[in-house]
Amino acid sequence: MSNLNDQMRGAVAALQAGDFTRARQIAEQAARLQPGNPKVLQVLGLAQIQGGAPAIGYRTLERALVLSPRDATLRLNVAKAALQLGLHERVEALAAPLGDEPAGLHLRALARKEAGDLDEAIALFRRAMTKLPGDPKLLSNFGSALISAGRFD
């Protein structure tokens, strides 16, 4: 692939097609051209995670976030990776600045649930549901938290 834009399109297309090895290879080439490009690092990190190297992908996403700390999508991707690794406090630190953004609330709730703080998880799920009423994943996770807490309200 001849230039960075072509490489990025190719890496994203490979990610979307489920070809995580190819996505990682292309993103690695792009990262060699522009190692300080947070978009390149984000695609590389996602490819690493999807390709079975979540810890490496998480570290790559963290590097991207240092370069682009205000990128909300990147922040959510780092939080998702942190959740996958069981880094509950990091999820909170990443998602809390997003305020009442539903995806951030959902991730915070999942992290609190995994950490055993069921009351806080339920409260966060409820806040998220006011923003996304009827969202099936959110409702399912909320129900799971209620069951885990022995509550059926």
Side-chain angles (χ1 to χ4, degrees):
M1 296 189 182
S2 60
N3 66 42
L4 185 65
N5 288 334
D6 290 341
Q7 287 176 327
M8 292 300 293
R9 278 192 291 275
V12 169
L15 267 177
Q16 291 171 339
D19 188 350
F20 307 124
T21 300
R22 181 77 180 130
R24 190 193 77 246
Q25 290 168 341
I26 296 169
E28 285 172 347
Q29 291 172 359
R32 281 191 289 277
L33 290 175
Q34 290 197 9
N37 185 320
K39 295 294 183 191
V40 170
L41 292 174
Q42 183 170 195
V43 171
L44 176 57
L46 293 173
Q48 291 165 328
I49 290 166
Q50 294 297 319
I56 293 168
Y58 168 74
R59 287 191 299 275
T60 301
L61 290 173
E62 284 281 12
R63 284 190 1 241
L65 189 61
V66 167
L67 297 167
S68 187
R70 290 189 171 94
D71 183 329
T73 300
L74 175 56
R75 182 170 287 278
L76 286 170
N77 282 330
V78 179
K80 287 176 191 175
L83 183 63
Q84 187 176 352
L85 295 172
L87 304 173
H88 305 123
E89 296 305 318
R90 185 64 181 137
V91 174
E92 180 69 26
L94 288 160
L98 298 172
D100 278 351
E101 196 282 321
L105 289 170
H106 194 174
L107 286 169
R108 290 174 62 202
L110 289 170
R112 298 299 357 125
K113 180 178 180 276
E114 286 184 11
D117 187 354
L118 297 175
D119 289 336
E120 181 64 15
I122 290 166
L124 288 164
F125 281 127
R126 283 195 168 121
R127 278 178 56 198
M129 289 188 311
T130 65
K131 306 293 180 184
L132 287 177
D135 179 86
K137 280 187 176 179
L138 190 52
L139 288 170
S140 176
N141 288 323
F142 175 62
S144 174
L146 288 173
I147 291 168
S148 294
R151 294 172 46 188
F152 304 98
D153 55 348

